[in-house]
Amino acid sequence: MGESAAENDPVTKPERATAPEDKGPTEWAEGRHGVGPWEGPLPDDPRLDPELLAEGDRRNVVDAYRYWKREAIIEDIDTRRHELHIAIENFENDANIGTVVRTANAFAVDTVHIVGRRRWNRRGAMVTDRYQHLQHHSDVDGLVAWAAENDLTVVAIDNTPGCVPLETAELPRRCLLVFGQEGPGVSAETSQASVMTCSIAQFGSTRSINAGVAAGIAMHAWVRQHADLRQAW
């Protein structure tokens, strides 16, 4: 009965008071979308961006990369990128590509390959494409030839008869996972060029799951088998 409206209202609830010496890399008062201008003497670190230090860093990056220049972030990720490549067929301009790129960035995939149309909807990537290596191939033959030249084993992800369950498959370390479009799945050319096609176990009524979700599941399956989890954030 003695509580004020402000104490009960989550919108007006007082923010957590923080002493200057108690501040961490992401402050309560700054919310979930970054940090404000740097406080105190400016650090002598060439990786840091003077503009971000002065104005604050509102980017969607982990705390370890706060105030870093974009080029410095890419260079650091390059030291830890995995031997996993992702390819997405884009013959009908699939809107899921942005989601796949964002997930590939989260898992430090080496390169995302776009097959077919060069243009794709970047909104779902949430600007993570700025930190992720991308490569375009005009057709499947070009992708397959590139994979052979770079010693990558091609594995398709699709739910078709005769597939190997992803849950029990042993994915190659140097691997190129190929995803088709929402609905049609991977092309016949991709299926023929793959050493195997892996399916994702489903238990409900839908015939297929979202291509962006399927890509995330498959990438995580590779991570569980081959990634050094000590390097994860």
Side-chain angles (χ1 to χ4, degrees):
M1 294 292 293
E3 294 179 336
S4 66
E7 290 173 326
N8 288 317
D9 185 351
V11 176
T12 59
K13 186 176 181 179
E15 296 175 340
R16 174 182 181 270
T18 307
E21 63 272 15
D22 187 36
K23 287 192 174 182
T26 301
E27 298 309 318
W28 290 91
E30 300 295 345
R32 298 178 58 195
H33 301 290
V35 292
W38 183 273
E39 298 181 13
L42 293 178
D44 183 16
D45 187 338
R47 298 172 301 183
L48 303 183
D49 188 316
E51 183 175 338
L52 293 175
L53 289 170
E55 300 180 3
D57 187 353
R58 308 296 179 181
R59 300 172 300 173
N60 179 22
V61 297
V62 296
D63 287 345
Y65 289 146
R66 287 296 178 203
Y67 304 111
W68 282 37
K69 300 173 184 176
R70 183 174 69 179
E71 296 76 10
I73 294 175
I74 296 172
E75 183 177 350
D76 187 71
I77 298 175
D78 283 346
T79 66
R80 300 178 287 102
R81 289 195 192 273
H82 294 127
E83 297 176 89
L84 173 64
H85 290 245
I86 301 298
I88 316 158
E89 295 183 341
N90 186 34
F91 299 114
E92 297 180 4
N93 200 20
D94 196 322
N96 289 292
I97 293 178
T99 300
V100 176
V101 170
R102 182 180 182 182
T103 306
N105 168 269
F107 290 136
V109 165
D110 187 292
T111 304
V112 175
H113 302 260
I114 311 296
V115 185
R117 292 168 54 105
R118 184 182 294 273
R119 293 175 60 89
W120 54 278
N121 188 343
R122 283 171 162 74
R123 177 173 296 183
M126 300 291 288
V127 306
T128 56
D129 53 307
R130 297 179 182 177
Y131 308 94
Q132 177 62 54
H133 296 308
L134 304 173
Q135 187 168 341
H136 175 257
H137 305 269
S138 59
D139 52 33
V140 173
D141 289 343
L143 172 72
V144 172
W146 185 92
E149 293 172 1
N150 289 273
D151 192 29
L152 290 168
T153 302
V154 180
V155 175
I157 304 295
D158 203 353
N159 281 355
T160 54
C163 289
V164 178
L166 179 64
E167 294 73 23
T168 59
E170 294 185 12
L171 297 173
R173 175 175 290 275
R174 290 193 54 78
C175 185
L176 171 64
L177 295 178
V178 186
F179 303 90
Q181 300 167 103
E182 188 78 28
V186 298
S187 63
E189 293 82 0
T190 295
S191 296
Q192 294 172 1
S194 303
V195 296
M196 63 178 170
T197 299
C198 292
S199 61
I200 297 172
Q202 297 177 203
F203 302 90
S205 63
T206 183
R207 186 185 69 83
S208 63
I209 58 178
N210 176 271
V213 173
I217 293 171
M219 283 185 254
H220 193 256
W222 186 95
V223 163
R224 292 189 64 182
Q225 294 182 28
H226 299 294
D228 181 359
L229 298 182
R230 294 172 298 180
Q231 294 188 354
W233 296 117

